[in-house]
């Protein structure tokens, strides 16, 4: 089934017969903060893989896009199990953890050097390392060289206004993105108000 069939229908359009309506639910986010350790934000999504029998073999038919709510996962599983050719449905939980650590400009890698990515943690994969400047309009996730450029621009603006040419008083953070994936089951999905 194409992923588009699971999207909600506009309120003015009735859902075609035989197609279930899905209501989007906010993404499931997790946050951890321990004293003395960097803050960790996480986002949990799931994917549904469908398998069929072909003779004595089991063949992978398709894997869904990342689903952001347990209710959508259950809906996807129910739709898959309605098909007579489906032999097995497997669920995978995907967790993306973003660790933020306050650093100084002197902690940035050398000019022109890529941001060092730490080794992969057990059962995970380090996806990327970025930097952000707190309060920097339109800054977003930056490379080390982008951070230096923004800081120089901010210093230049302070100098033009008669301020000091020293460090800019904005927090600089290093962000490390780590992805984890593990098999799971419907029983382990978080409970939602619709489960009552």
């Amino acid at each position: 089934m194409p992923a588009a069939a699971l999207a909600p229908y506009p309120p003015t359009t009735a859902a075609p017969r035989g197609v279930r309506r899905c209501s989007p639910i906010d993404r499931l986010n997790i946050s951890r903060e321990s004293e003395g350790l960097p803050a960790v934000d996480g986002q949990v999504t799931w994917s549904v893989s469908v398998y069929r029998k072909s003779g004595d073999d089991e063949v992978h038919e398709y894997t869904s896009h990342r689903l952001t709510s347990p209710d959508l996962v259950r809906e996807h599983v129910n739709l898959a199990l309605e098909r007579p050719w489906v032999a097995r449905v497997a669920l995978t939980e995907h967790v993306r953890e973003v660790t933020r650590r306050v650093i100084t400009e002197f902690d940035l890698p050398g000019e022109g050097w890529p941001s060092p990515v730490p080794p992969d943690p057990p059962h995970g994969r380090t996806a990327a390392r970025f930097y952000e400047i707190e309060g920097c309009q339109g800054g977003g996730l930056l490379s080390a060289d982008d951070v230096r450029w923004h800081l120089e621009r901010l210093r230049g603006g302070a100098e033009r206004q008669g301020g000091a040419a020293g460090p800019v008083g904005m927090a600089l953070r290093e962000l490390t993105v780590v992805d984890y994936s593990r098999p799971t089951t419907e029983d382990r999905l978080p409970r939602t108000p619709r489960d009552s």
Side-chain angles (χ1 to χ4, degrees), residues 11 13 26 35-36 45 62 67 81 91-92 100 103 107 114 123 139 145 154 168 189-190:
T13 308
D26 291 338
E35 195 171 308
T45 58
Y62 70 89
L67 303 167
L81 292 175
L91 302 181
T92 304
R100 286 177 168 80
I103 62 170
D107 296 321
H123 310 294
D145 288 339
L154 292 167
V168 178
L189 291 173

Side-chain angles (χ1 to χ4, degrees), residues 38-123:
V40 178
D41 292 323
Q43 179 185 23
V44 182
T45 58
W46 296 269
S47 60
V48 179
S49 297
V50 175
Y51 298 84
R52 64 178 169 81
K53 279 289 200 186
S54 178
D56 291 339
D57 297 328
E58 189 175 77
V59 178
H60 175 257
E61 188 67 26
Y62 70 89
T63 297
S64 72
H65 60 285
R66 300 284 173 94
L67 303 167
T68 58
S69 103
D71 289 330
L72 290 176
V73 173
R74 289 183 186 94
E75 184 76 18
H76 209 308
V77 168
N78 290 338
L79 288 170
L81 292 175
E82 287 177 0
R83 298 191 170 106
W85 51 266
V86 171
R88 180 172 69 93
V89 176
L91 302 181
T92 304
E93 180 179 73
H94 307 276
V95 177
R96 170 161 278 190
E97 286 187 352
V98 180
T99 304
R100 286 177 168 80
R101 179 175 78 98
V102 176
I103 62 170
T104 69
E105 187 177 351
F106 304 108
D107 296 321
L108 292 170
E111 193 167 337
W113 287 85
S115 300
V117 178
D120 291 340
H123 310 294

